[in-house]
Amino acid sequence: MSKEVRQPVETIEDIVKDIIIAELRVEPQQLQSDTHLMKDLGADSLDALNIALRLEDAFKIKIPDDAIPNFLTISDIIKGVNEHLNAN
Amino acid sequence: MNIQSVVGLHQFMKRVVVTGIGVVSPVGVGREPFWAALCEGRSGISRIEEFDTANLKTTIAGVCREFRAADFFDERELSRLDRVSQLAITATELAVREARLPDSQLAGFDTGVILGTGFGGQASIEDFCGAFYLNDRSRRSAVAIPKSMYNASASTIAIRFKTRGPNITITTACSSGANAIGQAAHLIRYGQAERMIAGGADAPVTQVVMDAWKDMRVLSTKNEVPQRACKPFSANRDGFVLAEAAGIVVLESLDSARQRGATIYAEVVGYGSTADAAHITFPDPEGESQAMRRALKDGGVAAEEIDYINAHGTATKLNDASETDAIKRVFGCRAYEIPVSSIKSMLGHSMGASGAIEFIATVLALNEKIIPPTINYEERDPQCDLDYVTEGARAMRQASGRRAAMSNSFGFGGNNAVLVAREVNP
């Protein structure tokens, strides 16, 4: 099932969390709105790039290189995705 | 002119010994199961189950079926590691554990890594190429490059074990693993490192690679009974069997090994490396024999002292005849008295790993004083008329004071690497 099909029934938050869970192999309960991908979940810069790649595909957005450092907590990612969706 | 005699370099040379062995192979994981299988003459060749072989002429290979990646890595680590790195790191883990080297000695600038590989992260390369050509965004990944680059395994070993000495990847096709061990031994010998993690790894059993070999017509097509397909030196041999494996040794200066009371398996005494500079795939016995002579000279070992030759012995028509010729050029009449065996008959040809795996078998042969056999030998070939140890494992005789053995590795590209090892007196 593709992310686009799921989007109407899943919230942006659900999709963002699904991507992080899949990429970082973490449990859903580890994800709070202020969870930091690097400090709390041990992600590194390559993980951040992969998560950006999946977000771009799921939401059909383009995340500029200099925006990636702002995509490091769950709430920041959701905020960033919303901004990009609105900009499009 | 011999530069060593001019500057008296010999007096500064350190003796190099093997103090740890790690193997991941089609006949088992770890030194003991590996050696037991070789002595029993047990084949690790089986039918390929990992992918569809309907369009292939060869449907068998040497796959490391007893290797369970989950025993060594978590899911997240696995997502970053090509199978070749998984095999290489596991073999390293086993070798280091066996060498009983404390982390404090392993870590730092005195320990380095030299790894040989022919295909590197082949499966990952195929994966991202597939994603590109099929425009499949879901398979795109930011780790495609670090996962598939040829030095990924060596670098990951350094990161895992904090070894900060020389970190080098050698790719000389089927002689990669032997070149890696030879170069590593020389680094220790001349004081560039106190200890080295050295060996080879390859995981080339993929659909794309199997299909590419098909067109070269060098793979055995004796698919019916996989275990009997690879027949080195036998007149009815019809090619090699592709395999995956990793073989790693911990090399250490004799002084360091003795100081810490390490178990010493054997001494690495000689290394010779040459290029045929003739044809990209057709072997040249002169290039091969010159590598053997250089390895003997490098180790100060006379041809009369060699008690065993672990052959490259691929089971291709060309290799086995050329290698037999090369051995005769070096050893003359004595060639007929030296036991020569090919463990590829049991393991298949693991490309860049084979030289390391076979060096390990050579070291264990010296250590155990047993010569592993060449299995599946059926018909005499007039071009291959040496003693190929076809009746089963055999006790190793002793021609001189300390037993000595040679391991040959010859690669496509005309790369030849030969290692000579000696038993160490307790």
Side-chain angles (χ1 to χ4, degrees), chain A residues 5-44:
Chain A
V5 177
R6 288 162 67 181
Q7 206 168 347
V9 289
E10 268 188 309
T11 64
I12 289 173
E13 183 175 345
D14 290 336
I15 297 168
V16 166
K17 285 184 172 174
D18 281 351
I19 288 172
I20 291 167
I21 288 164
E23 284 300 320
L24 301 183
R25 278 91 174 160
V26 291
E27 298 299 325
Q29 58 270 24
Q30 288 179 263
L31 303 185
Q32 308 301 323
S33 65
D34 61 347
T35 302
H36 193 282
L37 301 189
M38 291 181 170
K39 290 176 195 156
D40 300 319
L41 302 177
D44 64 9

Side-chain angles (χ1 to χ4, degrees), chain B residues 69-74 76-78 81 85-86 88-94 96-97 103 106-107 113 152-163 167 197:
Chain B
D71 293 347
F72 294 89
F73 307 97
D74 65 32
R76 200 153 157 200
E77 288 172 319
L78 286 175
L81 297 172
S85 296
Q86 297 171 27
I89 295 165
T90 301
T92 304
E93 183 82 48
L94 296 171
V96 163
R97 226 184 266 170
D103 290 349
L106 201 54
V113 179
S153 301
S155 297
T156 315
I157 290 168
I159 292 164
R160 205 172 173 101
F161 298 96
K162 306 291 170 222
T163 60
N167 191 285
I197 290 166

Side-chain angles (χ1 to χ4, degrees), chain A residues 1-10 15 18-19 54 57-60, chain B residues 136 138:
Chain A
M1 204 193 312
S2 73
K3 299 286 184 205
E4 300 92 283
V5 177
R6 288 162 67 181
Q7 206 168 347
V9 289
E10 268 188 309
I15 297 168
D18 281 351
I19 288 172
R54 301 289 163 248
D57 286 350
F59 297 105
K60 300 269 178 262
Chain B
D136 180 354
S138 72

Side-chain angles (χ1 to χ4, degrees), chain B residues 126-196:
Chain B
E126 290 174 20
D127 203 40
F128 78 67
C129 287
F132 174 80
Y133 287 118
L134 297 169
N135 198 21
D136 180 354
R137 284 193 58 89
S138 72
R139 279 163 60 200
R140 294 186 68 85
S141 168
V143 297
I145 300 294
K147 193 173 170 182
S148 63
M149 61 193 190
Y150 281 77
N151 60 326
S153 301
S155 297
T156 315
I157 290 168
I159 292 164
R160 205 172 173 101
F161 298 96
K162 306 291 170 222
T163 60
R164 304 182 72 188
N167 191 285
I168 299 167
T169 298
I170 289 180
T171 180
T172 52
C174 312
S175 55
S176 305
N179 276 131
I181 291 171
Q183 298 294 148
H186 278 190
L187 283 186
I188 298 172
R189 181 194 275 188
Y190 299 114
Q192 296 280 306
E194 198 56 42
R195 60 197 75 79
M196 294 292 295

Side-chain angles (χ1 to χ4, degrees), chain B residues 248-272:
Chain B
I248 297 285
V249 288
V250 173
L251 300 180
E252 192 169 352
S253 68
L254 179 65
D255 296 341
S256 157
R258 284 203 168 137
Q259 251 169 33
R260 65 183 193 89
T263 301
I264 296 171
Y265 288 96
E267 180 174 359
V268 192
V269 291
Y271 166 51

